Amino acid sequence: MELNIQNEFEKIFPRLKEYELTDLQVKSVKSIVEKGKNTLSIIQTGGGKSLIYWLSGKLLGGITIVISPLIALMEEQAEKLEENNCSTLMLHGQADKNEQYEKLIEIANGKFKPDFIFVSPERMATDGFFEYCVKRINKQVKLIVVDEVHCVSQWGENFRPFYRRIKDFIDNIYENDYSKAKVLALTATINPKEIKDICEEFQITTEGIVKSDMLMRNEIALKVIEEVIEDDKEEHLWNIIKLHKGEKTLVYVYRKYNKRGVEQLAQIANERGYRAIYFHGDMTANERKNIISKYKNNEYDIVFATNAFGMGIDIEDIRVVVHFSIPESIEQYYQEVGRAARDAKKGGTAVAYLLYSDKNILVKRKHFINNSYPSLDMLKNAYKKISNKVGLNLLYCFDDEEINTCLPYFVNSGLIEIVCKGFSTFENMEIQDEYLKNALSKTIRPITTIVFKKNPEINPKEIINKTYEDIISGKIKLNKLLDKVLIIDVKEEKLSDEKINEILKSIEDKKEYRNELFNYFVYILKKKLDSNFLHQEIANYLGVDRYKLGRVYSTSKGDRVRSKSEVIIANLLYEHNINYKYEEKLICGDKEIYPDFTIYLDNGEKVFWEHLGWIGIENYDKRWIEKLELYEKYYNVIPEKTYETASISDAATKKIEEIQKRNAN
Amino acid sequence: MFVGSEERTIEEVCYEKEHIEKVLKVIKENFDKYFTKFIETENGIVMSKEEIDEIANDIGIRVLKTNENSPSEKYRKIMIEAIQEFEKDREKYLKIMNKEYLDEYEEEVAFFKNKVLKNECPIIHSTLQNITAKALDKYRMDFNLADPAILHKVVTNLNNFSIEYENKYDTYKDKTISSYEELELELLDTDDYTAYGVIGGGIKSHLLYKRRPQMFANRSRDAIWALWFLTEKIIIDTKMDSEFIMIDTKKTTTQQNYFYPYCLFSFYAINIYYLLKEKANELEVEFPDDYKYVIVDAFLSFVAERHRLEIDLFTSNIKEGDRYYGA
């Protein structure tokens, strides 16, 4: 049954009924709810990703699990959902652990059924108890949302190892029956190989990819400045900041410390009388949250930030973005620029500067991209740490960056299999089960002893799941919360040359790909395009239909049209409450034409309106004559026409009055 | 050339006029194709059109039409950036290649070696610090064992040579040099100007180049490799492979010929300068003669970089204990 998505939205979220869902939001919800497809929604920054899963989750009923990389973002969403009468649960490292455990037990026992469960990727990847509880009630879990899904893919610069375990999590809770899962993957920026990777990972077909074709953020003026001399770049930065004094400014610098790092630049800015602060990934979640709040409330004008200032931060009125370091790809550039002018619908605009030198390009290529993958030494070290012996091992990996970075490569190459998540010891459990009690009377040492040594015929997953079940049913009382380990099966004692070569080759392929994306970005920058052409170039790259590239001007209705004169016409139509569509397809036999404006009168009649901006130019005239002939042949009409003159407003107003008269008749 | 245990020379034929003319001819024939790419890619910064088309195909997009910077603008920019890069650490070299300071250091040669050369001479410092390159272990060892007095003497001689050369420079700077003898640089290939194992052809030329980039070319590893590629790797008159490379048949290694005489190298370098200057004239770009070898160096580095994979393949066989730099 086809739903009226907007109506459903207003019913479920009456406090938000003034909000009109975009086409993209509607398409995404339909894809999940009506068509039942796993869906990848690619929506530009500020496009309202959250509402998609809010509405989809509520329409599907049951529980929606949202995997979200940022605690601040989770908290913000949870708060908003609670305000809209939805129940939520948050599971992450900084929330109260005991309370989380109690809630999970209630969920597993059916006593608590939150609409939305927010979980961090780290928690999802490492907490066996959480997974077990979810699996127990898997029929109630109707939707799994993966926010910032580009982090899943190793083909991108934002790959996070824990994200790679989402698929296993889904497989485990649905016992490998993927047809039961509905997955909604959300992102704003993603390159073609990442799309392919993610679609394979989450079984998303082409029909399930929902993408905006209005990706262009023309309300942001793009300025690209190439500096020949590196020192001039800093001088230019201060000039820009001075020029935009008092405006909310975000400066991207991909360096935390030392010369020209975020900390130093913020200090200099403060010395120069600005209200500035820095932001980077080494700060605690609370520190970051505090800065975001103060920036939002205008206690700071300028933030010098690494790309940690990114995902999910929603500040409406950033007016200036400056890239002091060159981004790695068009996707990253446009995503970061897109932090500005989130109030575009209310008329907000912004300016974005990119300052770069050829030296920056060389450094980016040689160091940032190529060094972001594990080296041979790191792989060897990590494997030594992981592989105690061939066979089952416990892995306490969560604070070891080397292991976290390398583990996905070992898993991909078949060197290591992750058997299950679990815990390491039965200490601090009050156990009533006789079998376990008996086994434990011989030792209370880690599960390795119980299972691996003394009972090798037992699948560790079974005993772990049995323990979880007993915790849920109350047969086991915990005196202390369970720790988190992975139980892995190590296939080879040492890293063979063959496996090393296999892994290094896969890394080389990814480096090469990222270098390609970066080189293409550099190529675009070097073209020295003006803002509109640069937007078009980016839109072309991001897959916008070529035909739609010229639509750069925004109208009051929210359309994008090709010229300022068409903006005038569209806005006048909108002001006069005349229903119209811009460039709506019109079939003429075996051909298609696209009238500039198709106006729908109340009596059902259509009026076509063409604005002939280039009349008098040979090619244009030729095309116009062909179009006119099609109008006459198939619709027996001559469209309304306006021309490019200084009095286009008056001409359009007059035409609209005539149309209104027709409408009245 | 093939390497025996301690050979430090090239075949005599390499010094003969006819041979040099043949080498030069091949270099000139290949110059244009590299120069075109040099400009098109802005010295390796941007991809060439073919590479962009390939990337676009791989990513799955269609390239929109382009506006390009003119070749003149690109050439000008390359030169500015090369000079900028050159000047970055030049001050440090000028403090070493300074007569007054060298005279003072004569009383403290150990200090000169262990502080000035080791820590303040960028090229020596970075070579010593490069602990990942096992082949440089030999250099580190040689440096540690080197007699400080000899090191000081060699650097002083180089500096004096440079000062004397400046006095003659005006007489031939506008002349078109047609033989290596006219450059009068043969002395630099003698023992007085070499501290074997520590200050060899590469480092000595670098010290001179940093002092006077209009007079002395930088005979770097990449520059020698570049000459090999510019001559299409062919053997011209020599009995044992190209004069620009060194093959050790026992250890099965191939390297650039780090014994390559500076006087000969300089002659090829000045001819590349002539070619680059000619291009500048065609493109109506002013060529900075005071930094002529900076531009030559940029071009030769570019040529080597175009063949980096091949060079890396050759040098990956060089193991610990092999001579690698500064012989």
Side-chain angles (χ1 to χ4, degrees):
Chain A
M1 191 186 78
E2 207 172 303
L3 291 167
N4 184 319
I5 302 292
Q6 180 67 37
N7 282 353
E8 294 299 323
F9 176 70
E10 289 171 16
K11 267 191 267 174
I12 295 169
F13 300 106
R15 289 169 62 137
L16 301 174
K17 65 177 180 220
E18 299 301 324
Y19 181 87
E20 195 180 326
L21 293 172
T22 64
D23 277 348
L24 199 59
Q25 287 169 318
V26 170
K27 268 189 208 160
S28 300
V29 172
K30 282 187 176 230
S31 175
I32 285 270
V33 175
E34 272 179 17
K35 297 180 188 171
K37 289 187 179 306
N38 289 343
T39 299
L40 169 61
S41 286
I42 305 170
I43 307 186
Q44 75 274 26
T45 48
K49 284 185 283 153
S50 311
L51 286 181
I52 296 173
Y53 71 75
W54 282 27
L55 187 54
S56 302
K58 287 299 282 183
L59 283 172
L60 289 169
I63 297 174
T64 296
I65 293 179
V66 183
I67 301 168
S68 179
L70 283 180
I71 294 171
L73 184 60
M74 269 192 229
E75 288 179 349
E76 191 188 306
Q77 288 300 311
E79 198 181 311
K80 286 182 183 170
L81 280 163
E82 297 274 352
E83 283 169 9
N84 282 279
N85 297 319
C86 296
S87 54
T88 66
L89 171 66
M90 281 192 295
L91 299 169
H92 57 74
Q94 292 184 19
D96 184 292
K97 290 183 174 54
N98 286 316
E99 199 182 306
Q100 289 179 58
Y101 251 80
E102 280 166 22
K103 286 290 179 198
L104 282 174
I105 292 171
E106 283 179 31
I107 287 172
N109 284 324
K111 288 179 184 167
F112 176 40
K113 196 182 151 198
D115 294 314
F116 296 90
I117 299 177
F118 289 90
V119 63
S120 65
E122 290 77 14
R123 191 64 183 270
M124 177 273 321
T126 59
D127 189 343
F129 185 62
F130 164 65
E131 185 179 288
Y132 186 81
C133 292
V134 171
K135 184 178 167 181
R136 213 165 180 273
I137 47 107
N138 64 8
K139 286 190 174 65
Q140 295 173 43
V141 178
K142 302 294 184 184
L143 181 63
I144 295 173
V145 179
V146 185
D147 200 5
E148 311 294 350
V149 71
H150 54 277
C151 297
V152 164
S153 178
Q154 287 170 307
W155 290 97
E157 73 262 17
N158 285 313
F159 171 62
R160 292 192 180 190
F162 285 124
Y163 259 78
R164 203 74 198 172
R165 304 214 212 126
I166 295 175
K167 183 173 178 303
D168 287 342
F169 169 75
I170 298 174
D171 283 345
N172 290 339
I173 62 173
Y174 290 112
E175 291 169 313
N176 297 314
D177 183 355
Y178 223 91
S179 65
K180 290 185 185 160
K182 274 203 189 56
V183 176
L184 171 61
L186 301 167
T187 184
T189 56
I190 190 163
N191 67 51
K193 281 213 164 111
E194 283 176 306
I195 292 178
K196 190 163 174 266
D197 198 11
I198 284 159
C199 287
E200 276 170 15
E201 189 79 350
F202 298 115
Q203 297 183 24
I204 299 171
T205 61
T206 321
E207 291 78 27
I209 301 175
V210 180
K211 205 161 95 163
S212 171
D213 59 4
M214 298 311 297
L215 290 169
M216 284 192 278
R217 299 286 310 277
N218 293 86
E219 65 275 10
I220 303 171
L222 304 176
K223 314 271 180 204
V224 178
I225 298 156
E226 185 180 352
E227 306 282 5
V228 178
I229 296 173
E230 184 67 19
D231 287 340
D232 287 353
K233 217 175 86 170
E234 191 176 339
E235 200 183 313
H236 211 134
L237 170 68
W238 295 118
N239 287 342
I240 289 169
I241 288 174
K242 193 171 176 184
L243 203 64
H244 292 280
K245 188 170 184 176
E247 295 180 83
K248 198 167 269 169
T249 301
L250 173 59
V251 182
Y252 276 109
V253 183
Y254 304 143
R255 183 190 285 181
K256 296 171 212 170
Y257 310 115
N258 303 321
K259 195 179 174 194
R260 292 184 182 142
V262 291
E263 293 198 2
Q264 196 209 47
L265 289 172
Q267 187 186 343
I268 297 172
N270 284 323
E271 285 163 6
R272 292 187 184 205
Y274 298 102
R275 298 181 306 158
I277 189 67
Y278 59 85
F279 185 104
H280 57 64
D282 286 352
M283 301 168 97
T284 64
N286 275 339
E287 281 173 329
R288 285 188 262 169
K289 195 174 159 190
N290 196 29
I291 289 168
I292 292 167
S293 172
K294 287 186 173 176
Y295 185 47
K296 218 171 179 169
N297 296 330
N298 300 315
E299 290 175 54
Y300 296 120
D301 288 330
I302 310 175
V303 171
F304 291 88
T306 64
N307 57 7
F309 190 102
M311 291 188 266
I313 294 176
D314 192 14
I315 297 176
E316 268 201 341
D317 56 344
I318 296 177
R319 294 288 160 239
V320 184
V321 172
V322 184
H323 276 97
F324 191 63
S325 306
I326 187 168
E328 194 183 297
S329 63
I330 291 174
E331 288 91 350
Q332 183 186 357
Y333 170 62
Y334 217 48
Q335 160 93 316
E336 289 176 356
V337 151
R339 308 251 171 259
R342 292 280 183 104
D343 55 356
K345 282 189 178 163
K346 299 179 208 165
T349 60
V351 188
Y353 298 89
L354 166 56
L355 308 173
Y356 79 98
S357 67
D358 282 352
K359 186 75 193 278
N360 299 153
I361 292 170
L362 286 173
V363 167
K364 195 81 180 185
R365 240 183 229 144
K366 284 190 176 158
H367 298 294
F368 282 80
I369 294 176
N370 294 339
N371 287 350
S372 64
Y373 290 94
S375 62
L376 178 57
D377 283 342
M378 192 194 275
L379 287 165
K380 285 180 177 173
N381 272 352
Y383 200 74
K384 259 190 218 155
K385 285 187 217 176
I386 293 172
S387 57
N388 256 331
K389 54 174 178 38
V390 173
L392 293 176
N393 286 261
L394 275 190
L395 183 60
Y396 299 84
C397 63
F398 313 120
D399 292 330
D400 190 320
E401 207 181 306
E402 221 173 52
I403 292 179
N404 282 333
T405 304
C406 298
L407 186 61
Y409 295 93
F410 301 145
V411 171
N412 284 350
S413 70
L415 282 162
I416 286 176
E417 183 196 331
I418 297 176
V419 174
C420 63
K421 299 164 192 139
F423 52 89
S424 68
T425 178
F426 287 93
E427 279 179 307
N428 299 307
M429 287 191 209
E430 289 174 24
I431 295 166
Q432 292 164 34
D433 184 277
E434 286 305 319
Y435 171 77
L436 262 182
K437 260 184 164 173
N438 193 42
L440 288 172
S441 66
K442 298 184 177 94
T443 177
I444 55 163
R445 283 312 300 140
I447 201 159
T448 46
T449 310
I450 305 291
V451 179
F452 303 169
K453 284 193 173 153
K454 294 201 184 292
N455 303 285
E457 74 282 4
I458 293 179
N459 184 323
K461 205 168 169 178
E462 276 175 31
I463 205 152
I464 285 168
N465 285 347
K466 174 134 184 22
T467 309
Y468 288 150
E469 186 62 40
D470 286 353
I471 292 171
I472 289 167
S473 66
K475 283 187 193 165
I476 290 178
K477 198 171 161 235
L478 290 176
N479 294 327
K480 194 176 161 190
L481 296 176
L482 297 172
D483 63 355
K484 299 186 197 65
V485 299
L486 289 182
I487 294 173
I488 58 172
D489 188 358
V490 174
K491 307 292 189 187
E492 289 179 29
E493 197 181 343
K494 283 187 181 158
L495 264 183
S496 62
D497 284 347
E498 192 197 327
K499 286 294 180 189
I500 287 175
N501 288 338
E502 190 186 308
I503 294 172
L504 291 179
K505 169 85 178 46
S506 126
I507 287 173
E508 274 315 306
D509 287 345
K510 290 170 177 72
K511 270 189 211 173
E512 198 185 309
Y513 184 68
R514 280 171 64 187
N515 272 303
E516 280 187 349
L517 298 186
F518 179 62
N519 290 336
Y520 196 82
F521 179 41
V522 169
Y523 159 73
I524 302 279
L525 294 179
K526 292 277 184 182
K527 284 189 183 184
K528 296 197 185 344
L529 301 167
D530 75 15
S531 182
N532 276 338
F533 281 118
L534 184 51
H535 278 292
Q536 286 179 25
E537 193 69 65
I538 292 170
N540 175 53
Y541 171 87
L542 293 173
V544 171
D545 190 303
R546 272 197 153 190
Y547 181 70
K548 292 180 181 165
L549 286 180
R551 294 201 205 166
V552 298
Y553 298 100
S554 298
T555 67
S556 301
K557 188 183 168 192
D559 292 323
R560 285 201 187 263
V561 300
R562 294 179 191 278
S563 70
K564 289 179 184 169
S565 295
E566 287 183 344
V567 172
I568 291 172
I569 295 168
N571 287 349
L572 283 168
L573 286 168
Y574 187 72
E575 276 165 31
H576 287 82
N577 290 319
I578 294 176
N579 189 8
Y580 77 88
K581 290 254 163 75
Y582 181 73
E583 289 189 352
E584 187 180 44
K585 186 164 72 178
L586 193 63
I587 306 289
C588 300
D590 59 353
K591 292 195 164 88
E592 295 165 356
I593 60 173
Y594 294 85
D596 289 345
F597 297 94
T598 304
I599 291 161
Y600 290 83
L601 300 182
D602 292 338
N603 61 7
E605 195 189 331
K606 277 192 210 174
V607 175
F608 303 111
W609 182 336
E610 298 281 358
H611 180 68
L612 305 174
W614 296 94
I615 203 89
I617 292 173
E618 195 180 331
N619 283 344
Y620 185 93
D621 289 354
K622 197 170 157 214
R623 287 198 306 273
W624 167 237
I625 289 169
E626 284 168 10
K627 200 175 185 184
L628 194 54
E629 283 169 358
L630 289 169
Y631 271 123
E632 286 174 334
K633 183 177 176 186
Y634 290 96
Y635 294 93
N636 197 28
V637 293
I638 293 174
E640 300 296 329
K641 298 188 286 291
T642 46
Y643 302 93
E644 193 67 17
T645 67
S647 52
I648 179 63
S649 271
D650 292 340
T653 305
K654 190 165 171 221
K655 202 138 301 275
I656 285 168
E657 283 164 5
E658 288 164 14
I659 290 169
Q660 279 177 320
K661 277 185 195 152
R662 276 165 78 170
N663 210 17
N665 291 341
Chain B
M1 121 184 205
F2 293 153
V3 180
S5 55
E6 286 298 324
E7 289 171 33
R8 289 192 178 132
T9 186
I10 55 171
E11 293 177 44
E12 278 307 311
V13 70
C14 297
Y15 291 95
E16 288 171 18
K17 191 165 183 241
E18 292 78 23
H19 167 80
I20 292 170
E21 274 168 14
K22 282 183 201 172
V23 170
L24 213 45
K25 183 167 178 284
V26 181
I27 290 175
K28 284 177 182 172
E29 279 166 5
N30 287 303
F31 174 82
D32 269 5
K33 77 174 181 215
Y34 283 105
F35 184 80
T36 304
K37 287 293 175 202
F38 184 54
I39 298 300
E40 189 186 346
T41 66
E42 297 181 34
N43 193 11
I45 298 293
V46 191
M47 300 293 109
S48 66
K49 190 182 175 309
E50 294 79 27
E51 285 163 331
I52 286 295
D53 285 343
E54 211 179 298
I55 291 173
N57 193 47
D58 199 32
I59 297 173
I61 53 174
R62 285 171 67 188
V63 179
L64 297 181
K65 280 193 187 156
T66 72
N67 291 329
E68 288 252 331
N69 275 342
S70 70
S72 309
E73 279 170 2
K74 290 183 184 185
Y75 198 13
R76 196 175 292 116
K77 194 163 87 61
I78 289 170
M79 290 197 275
I80 294 172
E81 284 172 356
I83 293 168
Q84 194 195 158
E85 194 60 31
F86 171 82
E87 286 290 349
K88 262 192 182 155
D89 60 0
R90 193 178 178 200
E91 200 50 43
K92 293 183 181 178
Y93 288 98
L94 293 176
K95 279 189 180 162
I96 296 169
M97 297 288 275
N98 178 303
K99 188 168 178 7
E100 277 177 44
Y101 293 159
L102 283 168
D103 286 345
E104 282 183 33
Y105 292 138
E106 198 173 1
E107 306 301 323
E108 294 180 278
V109 292
F111 178 84
F112 177 73
K113 173 186 163 182
N114 294 315
K115 177 90 174 32
V116 177
L117 285 185
K118 187 173 178 182
N119 292 334
E120 292 165 19
C121 177
I123 191 168
I124 291 178
H125 179 75
S126 65
T127 309
L128 291 171
Q129 290 299 310
N130 189 353
I131 55 173
T132 54
K134 290 294 174 199
L136 293 174
D137 284 351
K138 176 102 179 37
Y139 182 84
R140 273 185 280 279
M141 196 167 70
D142 287 345
F143 184 88
N144 287 337
L145 295 173
D147 184 337
I150 291 178
L151 292 180
H152 178 264
K153 183 86 186 136
V154 165
V155 176
T156 303
N157 288 347
L158 286 168
N159 194 51
N160 290 341
F161 184 94
S162 169
I163 294 170
E164 281 172 39
Y165 203 77
E166 276 170 60
N167 297 333
K168 298 190 271 194
Y169 180 63
D170 281 345
T171 61
Y172 71 82
K173 72 174 181 183
D174 295 320
K175 220 171 96 177
T176 302
I177 302 292
S178 56
S179 72
Y180 73 86
E181 290 96 333
E182 284 178 61
L183 286 171
E184 297 184 73
L185 294 170
E186 295 94 309
L187 261 185
L188 287 174
D189 291 313
T190 62
D191 290 355
D192 284 343
Y193 299 90
T194 311
Y196 292 104
V198 180
I199 302 178
I203 290 180
K204 97 169 73 155
S205 75
H206 197 74
L207 292 172
L208 292 165
Y209 161 73
K210 280 287 182 176
R211 190 169 186 278
R212 291 290 178 264
Q214 67 274 57
M215 296 176 201
F216 302 107
N218 185 29
R219 205 220 72 180
S220 65
R221 277 176 271 160
D222 273 358
I224 304 293
W225 279 118
L227 290 178
W228 188 48
F229 289 108
L230 280 164
T231 54
E232 289 179 337
K233 304 189 269 185
I234 59 175
I235 300 170
I236 305 173
D237 299 331
T238 49
K239 291 182 195 128
M240 294 184 287
D241 219 293
S242 163
E243 68 203 79
F244 299 112
I245 57 165
M246 213 158 54
I247 299 172
D248 188 327
T249 48
K250 281 184 210 159
K251 293 175 182 172
T252 62
T253 58
T254 302
Q255 299 183 63
Q256 90 292 354
N257 184 359
Y258 52 71
F259 294 131
Y260 199 80
Y262 189 64
C263 59
L264 266 184
F265 168 77
S266 299
F267 181 68
Y268 293 121
I270 201 167
N271 274 279
I272 287 176
Y273 153 66
Y274 295 145
L275 293 168
L276 289 168
K277 184 151 184 181
E278 201 182 308
K279 288 292 180 189
N281 292 338
E282 281 170 25
L283 293 170
E284 293 178 7
V285 175
E286 196 182 325
F287 193 95
D289 286 312
D290 285 348
Y291 289 93
K292 63 162 141 325
Y293 290 118
V294 173
I295 315 305
V296 169
D297 190 61
F299 177 74
L300 291 175
S301 298
F302 170 78
V303 172
E305 195 57 37
R306 294 295 281 182
H307 299 277
R308 186 56 62 200
L309 282 176
E310 203 176 336
I311 293 170
D312 285 349
L313 199 57
F314 284 127
T315 52
S316 64
N317 286 335
I318 295 167
K319 293 182 182 41
E320 188 177 338
D322 288 349
R323 204 188 298 276
Y324 187 58
Y325 200 99

